Amino acid sequence: MKRTWTIIGVADVPRASGWYQSLLGLPETAPAHDYFGQIVDSDGTVLLCLHEWGAHGHPSLTSPHDAGPGTASSCSFRVDNFDVALPSARTLVGRWKKSRM
C-alpha cells in the first residue's frame, strides 16, 4: 500500500472543493462530479476526497445526523509554512461556519 484516501461527507461537493483548495493554497478546479471530488496536490497526489452525503447509499456517508459509532473522522494537514497557513485557515473557518457546507 502506498497511501490511503480520506473521504469525508459534505452537503455541497463543488463548494467544499473550492473551500479545501483555498485552505491548502491550491488552484481552484471543479470536481469531476457533483457528488464526488478529489483534492489533489500539484504532483497529482490525492490529499482528500469529498463525497456528497446520501449519494450511493454508503452506510457511513448517509447523513451527518445518522452517523453511528465508528464513523467519526479527523483531518489533519501538513503545510510548508504554518505561520502563513494559520491566519488563512482561521479566515476560511469563519466562512465555513457561515455557509455550513
Side-chain angles (χ1 to χ4, degrees), residues 13-80:
V13 171
R15 285 184 65 202
S17 182
W19 190 88
Y20 278 103
Q21 288 167 343
S22 182
L23 174 69
L24 298 172
L26 300 169
E28 189 166 337
T29 58
H33 308 280
D34 286 341
Y35 57 86
F36 183 81
Q38 297 176 327
I39 307 302
V40 296
D41 204 351
S42 59
D43 66 0
T45 301
V46 175
L47 303 174
L48 179 67
C49 298
L50 306 172
H51 197 288
E52 180 182 315
W53 286 113
H56 307 111
H58 299 304
S60 62
L61 294 169
T62 56
S63 164
H65 307 293
D66 295 334
T71 58
S73 65
S74 175
C75 291
S76 300
F77 299 100
R78 183 175 174 179
V79 296
D80 293 327

